[in-house]
Short mmCIF file of all heavy atoms in Angstrom, two decimals:
data_model
loop_
_atom_site.label_atom_id
_atom_site.label_comp_id
_atom_site.label_asym_id
_atom_site.label_seq_id
_atom_site.Cartn_x
_atom_site.Cartn_y
_atom_site.Cartn_z
N PRO A 1 99.51 179.52 66.44
CA PRO A 1 98.07 179.34 66.36
C PRO A 1 97.61 179.39 64.94
O PRO A 1 98.17 180.13 64.07
CB PRO A 1 97.51 180.42 67.16
CG PRO A 1 98.54 181.51 67.16
CD PRO A 1 99.96 180.84 66.97
N TYR A 2 96.53 178.59 64.70
CA TYR A 2 95.96 178.59 63.32
C TYR A 2 94.35 178.44 63.32
O TYR A 2 93.88 178.00 64.36
CB TYR A 2 96.65 177.53 62.50
CG TYR A 2 96.33 176.08 63.02
CD1 TYR A 2 95.38 175.27 62.49
CD2 TYR A 2 97.24 175.52 63.97
CE1 TYR A 2 95.15 174.00 63.00
CE2 TYR A 2 97.15 174.17 64.42
CZ TYR A 2 96.00 173.52 63.92
OH TYR A 2 95.86 172.13 64.39
N VAL A 3 93.85 178.76 62.24
CA VAL A 3 92.46 178.66 62.01
C VAL A 3 92.18 177.77 60.86
O VAL A 3 92.88 177.91 59.78
CB VAL A 3 91.79 180.07 61.69
CG1 VAL A 3 90.30 179.96 61.28
CG2 VAL A 3 91.92 181.06 62.83
N VAL A 4 91.24 176.70 61.02
CA VAL A 4 90.89 175.88 59.99
C VAL A 4 89.61 176.27 59.35
O VAL A 4 88.65 176.52 60.07
CB VAL A 4 90.79 174.40 60.53
CG1 VAL A 4 90.32 173.38 59.40
CG2 VAL A 4 92.18 173.95 61.02
N VAL A 5 89.61 176.38 57.97
CA VAL A 5 88.34 176.70 57.34
C VAL A 5 87.94 175.64 56.39
O VAL A 5 88.77 175.01 55.69
CB VAL A 5 88.42 178.08 56.53
CG1 VAL A 5 88.68 179.17 57.60
CG2 VAL A 5 89.51 178.10 55.56
N HIS A 6 86.64 175.30 56.20
CA HIS A 6 86.08 174.37 55.38
C HIS A 6 84.97 175.12 54.67
O HIS A 6 83.87 175.21 55.26
CB HIS A 6 85.59 173.08 56.06
CG HIS A 6 85.11 172.05 55.14
ND1 HIS A 6 83.87 171.70 54.95
CD2 HIS A 6 85.93 171.31 54.28
CE1 HIS A 6 83.78 170.68 54.01
NE2 HIS A 6 84.95 170.49 53.62
N LEU A 7 85.21 175.60 53.47
CA LEU A 7 84.30 176.54 52.84
C LEU A 7 83.36 175.94 51.72
O LEU A 7 82.43 176.61 51.38
CB LEU A 7 84.98 177.78 52.25
CG LEU A 7 85.87 178.42 53.37
CD1 LEU A 7 86.76 179.56 52.70
CD2 LEU A 7 85.08 178.88 54.41
N SER A 8 83.88 174.83 51.13
CA SER A 8 83.08 174.35 49.97
C SER A 8 82.63 172.94 50.18
O SER A 8 83.25 172.16 50.86
CB SER A 8 83.95 174.41 48.66
OG SER A 8 85.16 173.55 48.95
N ALA A 9 81.56 172.68 49.52
CA ALA A 9 80.88 171.24 49.62
C ALA A 9 81.43 170.47 48.40
O ALA A 9 81.89 171.07 47.38
CB ALA A 9 79.32 171.40 49.56
N SER A 10 81.33 169.18 48.44
CA SER A 10 81.87 168.33 47.39
C SER A 10 80.93 168.38 46.12
O SER A 10 81.30 167.98 45.08
CB SER A 10 81.97 166.89 47.95
OG SER A 10 80.71 166.48 48.37
N SER A 11 79.68 168.98 46.26
CA SER A 11 78.73 169.11 45.15
C SER A 11 77.74 170.14 45.46
O SER A 11 77.51 170.39 46.66
CB SER A 11 78.09 167.78 44.73
OG SER A 11 77.09 167.46 45.76
N ALA A 12 77.13 170.69 44.45
CA ALA A 12 76.22 171.71 44.78
C ALA A 12 74.99 171.23 45.49
O ALA A 12 74.43 171.98 46.29
CB ALA A 12 75.63 172.30 43.33
N THR A 13 74.57 169.96 45.35
CA THR A 13 73.45 169.41 46.11
C THR A 13 73.82 169.29 47.56
O THR A 13 72.91 169.13 48.34
CB THR A 13 73.02 168.15 45.44
OG1 THR A 13 74.12 167.20 45.45
CG2 THR A 13 72.47 168.33 44.05
N LYS A 14 75.15 169.21 47.87
CA LYS A 14 75.50 169.02 49.28
C LYS A 14 75.93 170.36 49.87
O LYS A 14 76.49 170.34 50.99
CB LYS A 14 76.68 167.98 49.33
CG LYS A 14 76.14 166.55 48.98
CD LYS A 14 77.44 165.61 49.11
CE LYS A 14 76.98 164.21 48.92
NZ LYS A 14 77.98 163.28 48.96
N ASN A 15 75.69 171.44 49.27
CA ASN A 15 76.16 172.69 49.80
C ASN A 15 75.18 173.27 50.73
O ASN A 15 74.26 173.96 50.24
CB ASN A 15 76.58 173.71 48.64
CG ASN A 15 77.15 174.90 49.11
OD1 ASN A 15 77.50 175.00 50.39
ND2 ASN A 15 77.40 175.94 48.34
N PHE A 16 75.28 172.95 51.92
CA PHE A 16 74.34 173.40 53.00
C PHE A 16 74.77 174.71 53.55
O PHE A 16 74.08 175.25 54.41
CB PHE A 16 74.17 172.27 54.10
CG PHE A 16 73.74 170.98 53.54
CD1 PHE A 16 74.56 169.87 53.57
CD2 PHE A 16 72.51 170.82 52.95
CE1 PHE A 16 74.24 168.69 52.97
CE2 PHE A 16 72.20 169.56 52.41
CZ PHE A 16 73.00 168.48 52.48
N ARG A 17 75.91 175.09 53.19
CA ARG A 17 76.37 176.42 53.76
C ARG A 17 75.72 177.63 53.00
O ARG A 17 75.52 177.46 51.81
CB ARG A 17 77.92 176.46 53.55
CG ARG A 17 78.61 175.54 54.40
CD ARG A 17 80.04 175.36 53.98
NE ARG A 17 80.77 174.36 54.59
CZ ARG A 17 80.78 173.05 54.33
NH1 ARG A 17 80.09 172.58 53.33
NH2 ARG A 17 81.43 172.21 54.99
N THR A 18 75.48 178.60 53.64
CA THR A 18 74.94 179.78 52.98
C THR A 18 76.05 180.97 53.13
O THR A 18 75.81 182.02 53.56
CB THR A 18 73.64 180.28 53.69
OG1 THR A 18 73.88 180.53 55.05
CG2 THR A 18 72.59 179.29 53.48
N VAL A 19 77.14 180.62 52.53
CA VAL A 19 78.34 181.50 52.55
C VAL A 19 78.38 182.21 51.21
O VAL A 19 79.10 181.82 50.33
CB VAL A 19 79.68 180.70 52.87
CG1 VAL A 19 80.82 181.65 53.00
CG2 VAL A 19 79.58 179.93 54.04
N HIS A 20 77.66 183.30 51.14
CA HIS A 20 77.54 184.07 49.92
C HIS A 20 77.88 185.52 50.25
O HIS A 20 77.55 185.92 51.28
CB HIS A 20 76.17 184.11 49.27
CG HIS A 20 75.69 182.64 49.05
ND1 HIS A 20 76.18 181.93 47.90
CD2 HIS A 20 74.78 181.91 49.60
CE1 HIS A 20 75.68 180.73 47.89
NE2 HIS A 20 74.80 180.62 48.88
N GLY A 21 78.69 185.98 49.35
CA GLY A 21 79.05 187.47 49.58
C GLY A 21 80.18 187.72 50.54
O GLY A 21 80.30 188.88 50.93
N VAL A 22 80.91 186.72 50.97
CA VAL A 22 81.93 187.00 51.94
C VAL A 22 83.17 187.30 51.17
O VAL A 22 83.54 186.80 50.18
CB VAL A 22 82.14 185.63 52.76
CG1 VAL A 22 83.42 185.87 53.67
CG2 VAL A 22 81.05 185.26 53.58
N ASP A 23 83.78 188.37 51.72
CA ASP A 23 85.18 188.90 51.22
C ASP A 23 86.21 188.00 51.82
O ASP A 23 86.68 188.35 52.82
CB ASP A 23 85.34 190.30 51.38
CG ASP A 23 86.50 190.84 50.70
OD1 ASP A 23 87.50 190.05 50.39
OD2 ASP A 23 86.58 192.05 50.45
N TRP A 24 86.67 186.86 51.16
CA TRP A 24 87.62 186.06 51.75
C TRP A 24 88.94 186.63 51.93
O TRP A 24 89.74 186.28 52.86
CB TRP A 24 87.68 184.68 51.00
CG TRP A 24 86.43 183.96 51.15
CD1 TRP A 24 85.47 183.60 50.17
CD2 TRP A 24 85.80 183.43 52.37
NE1 TRP A 24 84.39 182.94 50.72
CE2 TRP A 24 84.58 182.81 52.03
CE3 TRP A 24 86.19 183.47 53.70
CZ2 TRP A 24 83.79 182.23 53.06
CZ3 TRP A 24 85.41 182.78 54.64
CH2 TRP A 24 84.18 182.23 54.34
N GLU A 25 89.31 187.64 51.00
CA GLU A 25 90.60 188.32 51.19
C GLU A 25 90.59 189.14 52.45
O GLU A 25 91.55 189.18 53.27
CB GLU A 25 90.77 189.21 49.97
CG GLU A 25 91.32 188.47 48.78
CD GLU A 25 91.84 189.34 47.56
OE1 GLU A 25 92.16 190.56 47.95
OE2 GLU A 25 91.64 188.97 46.49
N LYS A 26 89.44 189.73 52.77
CA LYS A 26 89.38 190.59 54.00
C LYS A 26 89.30 189.73 55.18
O LYS A 26 90.03 189.95 56.23
CB LYS A 26 88.01 191.42 53.96
CG LYS A 26 87.87 192.36 54.96
CD LYS A 26 86.60 193.18 54.90
CE LYS A 26 86.76 194.37 54.02
NZ LYS A 26 85.56 195.22 53.95
N PHE A 27 88.63 188.58 55.04
CA PHE A 27 88.59 187.61 56.22
C PHE A 27 90.00 187.08 56.47
O PHE A 27 90.40 187.11 57.63
CB PHE A 27 87.66 186.42 55.78
CG PHE A 27 87.75 185.24 56.77
CD1 PHE A 27 87.04 185.24 57.83
CD2 PHE A 27 88.55 184.11 56.26
CE1 PHE A 27 87.08 184.12 58.61
CE2 PHE A 27 88.63 182.99 57.21
CZ PHE A 27 87.91 183.05 58.43
N THR A 28 90.70 186.60 55.55
CA THR A 28 92.10 186.09 55.68
C THR A 28 93.03 187.07 56.28
O THR A 28 93.84 186.86 57.14
CB THR A 28 92.65 185.40 54.48
OG1 THR A 28 92.67 186.38 53.37
CG2 THR A 28 91.95 184.21 54.06
N ALA A 29 92.90 188.39 55.78
CA ALA A 29 93.80 189.38 56.21
C ALA A 29 93.56 189.77 57.65
O ALA A 29 94.45 189.92 58.51
CB ALA A 29 93.57 190.74 55.35
N SER A 30 92.21 189.73 58.07
CA SER A 30 91.86 190.06 59.39
C SER A 30 92.35 188.98 60.37
O SER A 30 92.88 189.30 61.43
CB SER A 30 90.36 190.12 59.52
OG SER A 30 89.96 190.26 60.97
N ILE A 31 92.19 187.78 60.00
CA ILE A 31 92.72 186.59 60.80
C ILE A 31 94.27 186.57 60.86
O ILE A 31 94.84 186.43 61.95
CB ILE A 31 92.26 185.25 60.16
CG1 ILE A 31 90.76 185.11 60.25
CG2 ILE A 31 92.88 184.05 60.88
CD1 ILE A 31 90.18 185.07 61.57
N GLN A 32 94.94 186.86 59.75
CA GLN A 32 96.40 186.85 59.81
C GLN A 32 96.93 188.14 60.67
O GLN A 32 97.94 187.91 61.36
CB GLN A 32 96.92 186.93 58.40
CG GLN A 32 96.78 185.56 57.68
CD GLN A 32 97.08 185.58 56.32
OE1 GLN A 32 96.90 186.61 55.57
NE2 GLN A 32 97.86 184.54 55.83
N GLN A 33 96.20 189.21 60.63
CA GLN A 33 96.67 190.38 61.44
C GLN A 33 96.60 190.04 62.87
O GLN A 33 97.34 190.67 63.62
CB GLN A 33 95.63 191.51 61.14
CG GLN A 33 96.16 192.69 60.44
CD GLN A 33 95.16 193.78 60.27
OE1 GLN A 33 93.98 193.57 60.50
NE2 GLN A 33 95.58 194.87 59.61
N LYS A 34 95.76 189.15 63.20
CA LYS A 34 95.73 188.73 64.68
C LYS A 34 96.73 187.70 64.99
O LYS A 34 96.73 187.10 66.12
CB LYS A 34 94.31 188.12 64.98
CG LYS A 34 93.21 189.38 64.94
CD LYS A 34 91.84 188.71 65.04
CE LYS A 34 90.74 189.77 65.04
NZ LYS A 34 90.75 190.86 64.04
N GLY A 35 97.53 187.29 64.04
CA GLY A 35 98.59 186.30 64.28
C GLY A 35 98.29 184.86 63.99
O GLY A 35 99.11 184.02 64.32
N TYR A 36 97.13 184.56 63.38
CA TYR A 36 96.87 183.22 63.10
C TYR A 36 97.25 182.83 61.57
O TYR A 36 97.20 183.68 60.61
CB TYR A 36 95.34 183.02 63.14
CG TYR A 36 94.82 183.25 64.44
CD1 TYR A 36 94.32 184.36 65.02
CD2 TYR A 36 94.81 182.15 65.43
CE1 TYR A 36 93.89 184.55 66.23
CE2 TYR A 36 94.35 182.22 66.78
CZ TYR A 36 93.86 183.50 67.11
OH TYR A 36 93.38 183.69 68.40
N LYS A 37 97.66 181.63 61.50
CA LYS A 37 97.83 180.95 60.15
C LYS A 37 96.54 180.36 59.76
O LYS A 37 95.63 180.03 60.47
CB LYS A 37 98.88 179.81 60.33
CG LYS A 37 99.19 179.03 59.03
CD LYS A 37 100.10 177.98 59.38
CE LYS A 37 100.38 177.12 58.13
NZ LYS A 37 101.22 175.91 58.38
N ILE A 38 96.21 180.35 58.46
CA ILE A 38 95.03 179.88 57.80
C ILE A 38 95.27 178.57 57.16
O ILE A 38 96.22 178.50 56.37
CB ILE A 38 94.31 180.90 56.92
CG1 ILE A 38 93.93 182.12 57.70
CG2 ILE A 38 93.12 180.21 56.32
CD1 ILE A 38 93.44 183.32 56.90
N ILE A 39 94.48 177.61 57.36
CA ILE A 39 94.52 176.25 56.72
C ILE A 39 93.10 175.90 56.18
O ILE A 39 92.12 175.85 56.91
CB ILE A 39 94.98 175.15 57.50
CG1 ILE A 39 96.35 175.46 58.06
CG2 ILE A 39 94.97 173.75 56.92
CD1 ILE A 39 96.81 174.47 59.23
N GLU A 40 92.91 175.77 54.78
CA GLU A 40 91.65 175.40 54.26
C GLU A 40 91.82 173.96 54.07
O GLU A 40 92.70 173.37 53.41
CB GLU A 40 91.40 176.16 53.01
CG GLU A 40 89.96 175.73 52.54
CD GLU A 40 89.62 176.43 51.11
OE1 GLU A 40 90.42 177.12 50.53
OE2 GLU A 40 88.49 176.17 50.73
N ILE A 41 90.61 173.30 54.44
CA ILE A 41 90.57 171.84 54.15
C ILE A 41 89.27 171.56 53.24
O ILE A 41 88.49 172.43 52.98
CB ILE A 41 90.32 171.10 55.51
CG1 ILE A 41 89.11 171.58 56.19
CG2 ILE A 41 91.58 171.04 56.38
CD1 ILE A 41 88.65 170.77 57.46
N GLY A 42 89.17 170.42 52.73
CA GLY A 42 87.98 170.06 51.84
C GLY A 42 88.50 169.55 50.58
O GLY A 42 89.59 168.99 50.35
N ASP A 43 87.80 169.74 49.47
CA ASP A 43 88.06 169.38 48.10
C ASP A 43 88.96 170.28 47.38
O ASP A 43 88.65 171.53 47.48
CB ASP A 43 86.91 169.02 47.32
CG ASP A 43 86.00 167.84 47.84
OD1 ASP A 43 86.59 166.90 48.35
OD2 ASP A 43 84.84 167.85 47.74
N PRO A 44 90.08 169.89 46.75
CA PRO A 44 90.92 170.80 45.99
C PRO A 44 90.13 171.43 44.83
O PRO A 44 89.29 170.81 44.35
CB PRO A 44 92.00 170.00 45.54
CG PRO A 44 91.64 168.47 45.82
CD PRO A 44 90.44 168.51 46.63
N PRO A 45 90.44 172.58 44.41
CA PRO A 45 91.49 173.46 44.95
C PRO A 45 91.10 174.29 46.12
O PRO A 45 91.92 175.10 46.61
CB PRO A 45 91.96 174.31 43.71
CG PRO A 45 90.66 174.51 43.12
CD PRO A 45 89.85 173.23 43.33
N GLY A 46 89.83 174.26 46.49
CA GLY A 46 89.47 175.11 47.59
C GLY A 46 89.03 176.51 47.11
O GLY A 46 89.37 176.86 46.04
N ILE A 47 88.47 177.20 48.06
CA ILE A 47 88.05 178.64 47.73
C ILE A 47 89.29 179.50 47.87
O ILE A 47 89.43 180.58 47.21
CB ILE A 47 86.94 179.14 48.78
CG1 ILE A 47 85.78 178.16 48.69
CG2 ILE A 47 86.58 180.58 48.48
CD1 ILE A 47 84.97 178.18 47.42
N LEU A 48 90.11 179.19 48.78
CA LEU A 48 91.47 179.84 49.08
C LEU A 48 92.60 178.96 48.81
O LEU A 48 93.35 178.44 49.66
CB LEU A 48 91.50 180.32 50.47
CG LEU A 48 90.26 180.99 51.11
CD1 LEU A 48 90.32 181.04 52.64
CD2 LEU A 48 90.20 182.40 50.55
N PRO A 49 92.99 178.75 47.44
CA PRO A 49 94.00 177.76 47.00
C PRO A 49 95.35 177.96 47.71
O PRO A 49 96.04 176.96 47.99
CB PRO A 49 94.12 177.95 45.48
CG PRO A 49 92.85 178.62 45.13
CD PRO A 49 92.41 179.35 46.32
N GLU A 50 95.77 179.29 47.98
CA GLU A 50 96.97 179.50 48.63
C GLU A 50 97.13 178.87 50.04
O GLU A 50 98.18 178.76 50.63
CB GLU A 50 97.38 180.96 48.50
CG GLU A 50 96.49 181.79 49.31
CD GLU A 50 95.33 182.44 48.62
OE1 GLU A 50 94.83 181.78 47.65
OE2 GLU A 50 94.86 183.48 48.89
N TYR A 51 95.97 178.62 50.64
CA TYR A 51 95.86 178.14 52.04
C TYR A 51 95.43 176.68 52.06
O TYR A 51 95.25 176.06 53.17
CB TYR A 51 94.93 179.00 52.89
CG TYR A 51 95.42 180.41 52.92
CD1 TYR A 51 94.61 181.36 52.26
CD2 TYR A 51 96.48 180.89 53.61
CE1 TYR A 51 94.98 182.65 52.27
CE2 TYR A 51 96.76 182.22 53.66
CZ TYR A 51 96.04 183.18 52.94
OH TYR A 51 96.47 184.47 52.96
N PHE A 52 95.16 176.15 50.95
CA PHE A 52 94.54 174.70 50.92
C PHE A 52 95.59 173.69 51.25
O PHE A 52 96.72 173.77 50.86
CB PHE A 52 94.02 174.42 49.53
CG PHE A 52 93.33 173.14 49.51
CD1 PHE A 52 91.96 172.98 49.92
CD2 PHE A 52 94.01 171.95 49.02
CE1 PHE A 52 91.39 171.76 49.92
CE2 PHE A 52 93.41 170.75 49.00
CZ PHE A 52 92.06 170.69 49.42
N ARG A 53 95.13 172.74 52.06
CA ARG A 53 95.95 171.48 52.42
C ARG A 53 95.05 170.29 52.30
O ARG A 53 94.02 170.14 52.96
CB ARG A 53 96.37 171.64 53.90
CG ARG A 53 97.37 170.45 54.20
CD ARG A 53 97.71 170.49 55.66
NE ARG A 53 98.52 171.75 56.02
CZ ARG A 53 99.00 171.94 57.30
NH1 ARG A 53 98.76 170.96 58.29
NH2 ARG A 53 99.70 173.05 57.60
N LYS A 54 95.60 169.39 51.49
CA LYS A 54 94.91 168.10 51.30
C LYS A 54 95.35 167.17 52.52
O LYS A 54 96.57 167.08 52.85
CB LYS A 54 95.30 167.42 50.08
CG LYS A 54 94.58 166.17 49.82
CD LYS A 54 94.26 165.98 48.37
CE LYS A 54 93.53 164.73 48.12
NZ LYS A 54 92.26 164.46 48.62
N THR A 55 94.38 166.57 53.18
CA THR A 55 94.78 165.71 54.42
C THR A 55 94.10 164.35 54.25
O THR A 55 93.07 164.15 53.57
CB THR A 55 94.18 166.44 55.62
OG1 THR A 55 92.71 166.50 55.53
CG2 THR A 55 94.78 167.81 55.81
N SER A 56 94.71 163.50 55.05
CA SER A 56 94.00 162.25 55.41
C SER A 56 92.99 162.44 56.40
O SER A 56 92.96 163.55 57.04
CB SER A 56 95.16 161.16 55.81
OG SER A 56 95.53 161.58 57.08
N PHE A 57 92.17 161.46 56.78
CA PHE A 57 91.22 161.65 57.84
C PHE A 57 91.85 161.83 59.15
O PHE A 57 91.47 162.80 59.95
CB PHE A 57 90.19 160.54 57.92
CG PHE A 57 89.10 160.62 58.95
CD1 PHE A 57 88.08 161.47 58.58
CD2 PHE A 57 89.17 160.13 60.05
CE1 PHE A 57 87.10 161.73 59.50
CE2 PHE A 57 88.20 160.31 61.05
CZ PHE A 57 87.10 161.06 60.78
N SER A 58 92.89 161.12 59.46
CA SER A 58 93.52 161.30 60.73
C SER A 58 94.26 162.63 60.82
O SER A 58 94.28 163.28 61.88
CB SER A 58 94.54 160.10 60.96
OG SER A 58 95.50 160.07 60.02
N GLU A 59 94.84 163.15 59.70
CA GLU A 59 95.39 164.46 59.73
C GLU A 59 94.42 165.51 59.92
O GLU A 59 94.53 166.43 60.76
CB GLU A 59 96.14 164.74 58.50
CG GLU A 59 97.42 163.93 58.24
CD GLU A 59 97.98 163.99 56.84
OE1 GLU A 59 97.16 164.19 55.92
OE2 GLU A 59 99.12 164.00 56.71
N LEU A 60 93.26 165.40 59.34
CA LEU A 60 92.09 166.29 59.55
C LEU A 60 91.63 166.30 61.05
O LEU A 60 91.38 167.43 61.47
CB LEU A 60 90.94 165.82 58.63
CG LEU A 60 89.66 166.58 58.71
CD1 LEU A 60 89.88 168.02 58.13
CD2 LEU A 60 88.54 165.88 57.88
N VAL A 61 91.51 165.18 61.66
CA VAL A 61 91.08 165.24 63.03
C VAL A 61 92.10 165.90 63.91
O VAL A 61 91.74 166.83 64.72
CB VAL A 61 90.95 163.74 63.51
CG1 VAL A 61 90.75 163.72 65.07
CG2 VAL A 61 89.81 163.04 62.85
N ASN A 62 93.41 165.77 63.67
CA ASN A 62 94.38 166.40 64.39
C ASN A 62 94.44 167.95 64.12
O ASN A 62 94.59 168.71 65.04
CB ASN A 62 95.83 165.81 64.09
CG ASN A 62 96.04 164.54 64.77
OD1 ASN A 62 95.51 164.18 65.84
ND2 ASN A 62 96.77 163.61 64.12
N LEU A 63 94.27 168.37 62.85
CA LEU A 63 94.19 169.69 62.45
C LEU A 63 93.07 170.41 63.24
O LEU A 63 93.31 171.58 63.74
CB LEU A 63 94.02 169.93 61.00
CG LEU A 63 95.24 169.98 60.15
CD1 LEU A 63 94.84 170.05 58.63
CD2 LEU A 63 96.11 171.18 60.50
N ILE A 64 91.83 169.90 63.14
CA ILE A 64 90.69 170.43 63.73
C ILE A 64 90.75 170.59 65.23
O ILE A 64 90.48 171.50 65.89
CB ILE A 64 89.42 169.79 63.24
CG1 ILE A 64 89.15 170.11 61.73
CG2 ILE A 64 88.20 170.34 64.15
CD1 ILE A 64 88.03 169.25 61.22
N SER A 65 91.27 169.42 65.75
CA SER A 65 91.49 169.47 67.36
C SER A 65 92.52 170.40 67.85
O SER A 65 92.33 170.90 68.85
CB SER A 65 91.77 168.06 67.82
OG SER A 65 92.96 167.61 67.41
N GLY A 66 93.48 170.76 67.03
CA GLY A 66 94.51 171.66 67.35
C GLY A 66 94.21 173.09 67.03
O GLY A 66 95.03 173.98 67.39
N ALA A 67 93.17 173.43 66.26
CA ALA A 67 92.85 174.66 65.73
C ALA A 67 92.37 175.65 66.84
O ALA A 67 91.58 175.15 67.78
CB ALA A 67 91.87 174.58 64.61
N SER A 68 92.65 176.94 66.79
CA SER A 68 92.17 177.84 67.65
C SER A 68 90.67 178.15 67.41
O SER A 68 89.89 178.37 68.24
CB SER A 68 92.97 179.19 67.54
OG SER A 68 94.24 178.99 68.01
N VAL A 69 90.45 178.04 66.03
CA VAL A 69 89.09 178.35 65.57
C VAL A 69 88.79 177.32 64.38
O VAL A 69 89.69 177.19 63.52
CB VAL A 69 88.81 179.81 65.14
CG1 VAL A 69 87.47 179.96 64.53
CG2 VAL A 69 89.05 180.68 66.29
N PHE A 70 87.62 176.94 64.21
CA PHE A 70 87.24 176.11 63.06
C PHE A 70 85.94 176.89 62.36
O PHE A 70 84.93 177.25 63.04
CB PHE A 70 86.74 174.72 63.40
CG PHE A 70 86.15 174.01 62.24
CD1 PHE A 70 87.03 173.49 61.20
CD2 PHE A 70 84.78 173.73 62.07
CE1 PHE A 70 86.51 172.75 60.08
CE2 PHE A 70 84.20 173.10 61.11
CZ PHE A 70 85.16 172.67 60.03
N VAL A 71 86.17 177.22 61.03
CA VAL A 71 85.05 177.95 60.38
C VAL A 71 84.63 176.93 59.31
O VAL A 71 85.31 176.57 58.38
CB VAL A 71 85.58 179.19 59.63
CG1 VAL A 71 84.41 179.81 58.84
CG2 VAL A 71 86.08 180.19 60.74
N GLY A 72 83.40 176.48 59.35
CA GLY A 72 82.91 175.46 58.43
C GLY A 72 81.59 175.07 58.70
O GLY A 72 80.86 174.44 58.18
#
């Protein structure tokens, strides 16, 4: 099982997320403790570079549809 996260916008003007002050290390540790793999999508290098995966659109669709949870 895995969790897909999309945390960053392609530009500051397109950042509609209000994800401020989140401890991503704590978030990832909690998710992994529950047995999930983490995959970050979006623009490189991502907020969590060690979990980042560059994808094509069709790969993205498959990743999200197969995810246990999507955070974004």
Side-chain angles (χ1 to χ4, degrees):
Y2 62 93
V3 173
V4 174
V5 296
H6 185 250
L7 306 175
S8 60
S10 57
S11 74
T13 58
K14 292 184 179 180
N15 190 5
F16 304 114
R17 295 167 183 84
T18 55
V19 184
H20 301 286
V22 174
D23 184 338
W24 293 112
E25 283 186 29
K26 191 180 275 188
F27 169 81
T28 56
S30 173
I31 296 297
Q32 289 175 320
Q33 248 179 358
K34 292 172 176 54
Y36 294 94
K37 177 181 173 184
I38 296 172
I39 300 170
E40 183 182 7
I41 58 171
D43 293 330
I47 304 292
L48 308 166
E50 64 271 29
Y51 303 108
F52 185 79
R53 184 186 297 179
K54 182 143 179 71
T55 62
S56 68
F57 184 75
S58 60
E59 290 170 325
L60 177 65
V61 169
N62 287 329
L63 269 178
I64 292 173
S65 67
S68 299
V69 177
F70 174 74
V71 178

